[in-house]
Amino acid sequence: MWSLLSTSEGLFVRRIREGTVIDHITAGRSLHVVRLLGLEGSNYTMAIVMNVDSRKLGRKDIVKVEGLFLNSEQISKISLIAPNATLNIIKDGLVVIKQKVKPPDIIEGILRCPNLSCITRKEGEFVKSKMRLVSTNPLIYQCIYCGTYIGEDDIVEMLLST
Ligand SMILES: [Zn+2]
């Protein structure tokens, strides 16, 4: 079944007329992406393709959503759980923009510092979390206030639980 999807992939991509194709998603993360974008239970027409052969990644997932265009916060979030993802913006059946996501050097407010005594975690303090990118592969961020590190698995878990 998967190989059938894989061979018809080109055709499948072209079927979107207006919307976004999120390609090169880390294999196994497509449902995370769907959840992260709040698309679960939505009315969007979408296709989720899993475990497609990829020269670059070995295996990859793809999510195609008709009529969806992402804002910068959504793109940042995708970059945190699928750092190799490529966004293809489709208009009138053509790819008008192809953009590789990139984990932001500084990320504000999206991640929570894992250190409970960090100033950003204190009740009554209104200090927004702020983390700096330490490494892309593996993905590691560091809180600029207390120095605590957070790695990819924890980031994925955190994003999916909020
Ligand atoms: Zn902190």
Side-chain angles (χ1 to χ4, degrees):
M1 185 182 173
W2 298 129
S3 63
L4 182 67
L5 281 176
S6 168
T7 51
S8 62
E9 189 205 336
L11 182 68
F12 208 31
V13 172
R14 282 195 292 274
R15 269 194 215 146
I16 281 201
R17 229 180 299 152
E18 297 263 329
T20 302
V21 175
I22 309 165
D23 198 357
H24 297 110
I25 297 170
T26 315
R29 296 263 172 92
S30 53
L31 294 175
H32 295 170
V33 169
V34 166
R35 192 158 155 205
L36 199 64
L37 295 176
L39 297 173
E40 269 181 335
S42 73
N43 291 323
Y44 283 104
T45 300
M46 70 184 104
I48 299 164
V49 188
M50 296 178 184
N51 286 318
V52 180
D53 286 320
S54 161
R55 240 180 320 152
K56 208 164 68 178
L57 302 176
R59 294 261 154 180
K60 65 175 181 179
D61 288 0
I62 306 170
V63 172
K64 306 153 201 235
V65 192
E66 185 86 44
L68 179 76
F69 298 99
L70 303 170
N71 63 38
S72 61
E73 184 175 325
Q74 289 173 312
I75 294 172
S76 292
K77 285 182 175 177
I78 290 173
S79 75
L80 297 177
I81 67 165
N84 296 300
T86 311
L87 305 176
N88 297 278
I89 315 298
I90 318 287
K91 287 196 173 153
D92 289 328
L94 297 171
V95 177
V96 290
I97 298 173
K98 204 180 176 89
Q99 178 194 345
K100 223 180 142 341
V101 302
K102 187 184 168 298
D105 293 333
I106 297 285
I107 192 155
E108 279 190 82
I110 292 176
L111 298 174
R112 207 170 51 232
C113 181
N115 172 12
L116 291 174
S117 53
C118 178
I119 189 164
T120 61
R121 298 294 301 270
K122 292 222 167 89
E123 297 271 350
E125 298 267 3
F126 294 99
V127 182
K128 223 181 185 185
S129 82
K130 195 168 179 181
M131 305 229 166
R132 76 178 179 89
L133 182 65
V134 175
S135 154
T136 311
N137 191 20
L139 193 63
I140 301 171
Y141 275 90
Q142 181 182 31
C143 176
I144 67 151
Y145 294 102
C146 71
T148 301
Y149 293 97
I150 179 167
E152 187 160 335
D153 290 347
D154 291 331
I155 289 171
V156 170
E157 199 177 309
M158 182 180 296
L159 286 171
L160 293 177
S161 67
T162 49

